[in-house]
Amino acid sequence: MFNVKVFITLRESVIDPQGTVAKDSLHKLNYSEVSNVRIGKYVELTIENTERNIDEIVNEMCEKLLVNLNVEDYRYEIEEVVAQ
Amino acid sequence: MFNVKVFITLRESVIDPQGTVAKDSLHKLNYSEVSNVRIGKYVELTIENTERNIDEIVNEMCEKLLVNLNVEDYRYEIEEVVAQ
């Protein structure tokens, strides 16, 4: 079994309205130290043992469904969980 | 300067409709190996040098704005960026 963590962020060139609003709100709450906020998606996948290559299927799932490749970048971490 | 990564997930006890829909879609795309999908938020914060305790302000910002403590859990990673 595999626990996969996918981190999906807007490309740097893409304006992040959510992040901008969050930054302004944090400034209003007196956290003026905050100079930038980027808000993205965090996906946790549990994948049962499979014959298929785990990196391949994670990339396919990201590119087919989880990530909007026009405006988003992604990276992921795979942790294999060995049955006790 | 600090780069902070905040991982916000729905509490386990909370139903995750987005995750359920994503799982069903992945099954329709023949990724039947996927047994669970949880979708949360991933926030990247850039925080300039400050007199205040960095852990304290990150927790405060999460609890006051970024996280809905009724239904979400969060964890974070702090990376100090030393000026070259």
Side-chain angles (χ1 to χ4, degrees), chain B residues 46-82:
Chain B
T46 309
I47 301 178
E48 302 307 322
N49 288 330
T50 173
E51 300 301 318
R52 297 202 270 183
N53 174 294
I54 187 77
D55 274 287
E56 244 173 57
I57 57 176
V58 170
N59 276 300
E60 281 178 22
M61 291 193 286
C62 286
E63 291 172 14
K64 285 182 185 173
L65 184 78
L66 301 173
V67 179
N68 177 346
L69 294 176
N70 296 311
V71 292
E72 291 173 332
D73 293 320
Y74 72 95
R75 62 182 179 84
Y76 59 87
E77 294 166 5
I78 296 176
E79 176 207 347
E80 184 158 8
V81 180
V82 181

Side-chain angles (χ1 to χ4, degrees), chain A residues 30-31 35 40 42 48 52 60, chain B residues 30-31 35 40 42 48 60:
Chain A
N30 289 322
Y31 298 106
S35 56
Y42 169 62
E48 301 308 322
R52 297 201 270 184
E60 281 178 22
Chain B
N30 288 322
Y31 298 105
S35 55
Y42 169 62
E48 302 307 322
E60 281 178 22

Side-chain angles (χ1 to χ4, degrees), chain A residues 2 9 12 15 22 27-29 31-32 37 40 42-43 49 52 54-55 59-60 67 69 72 76 80 82:
Chain A
F2 302 89
T9 51
E12 286 298 329
I15 294 173
H27 284 178
K28 284 187 186 110
L29 292 168
Y31 298 106
S32 51
V37 179
Y42 169 62
V43 182
N49 288 331
R52 297 201 270 184
I54 188 78
D55 274 287
N59 276 300
E60 281 178 22
V67 180
L69 294 175
E72 291 174 333
Y76 59 88
E80 184 158 10
V82 181

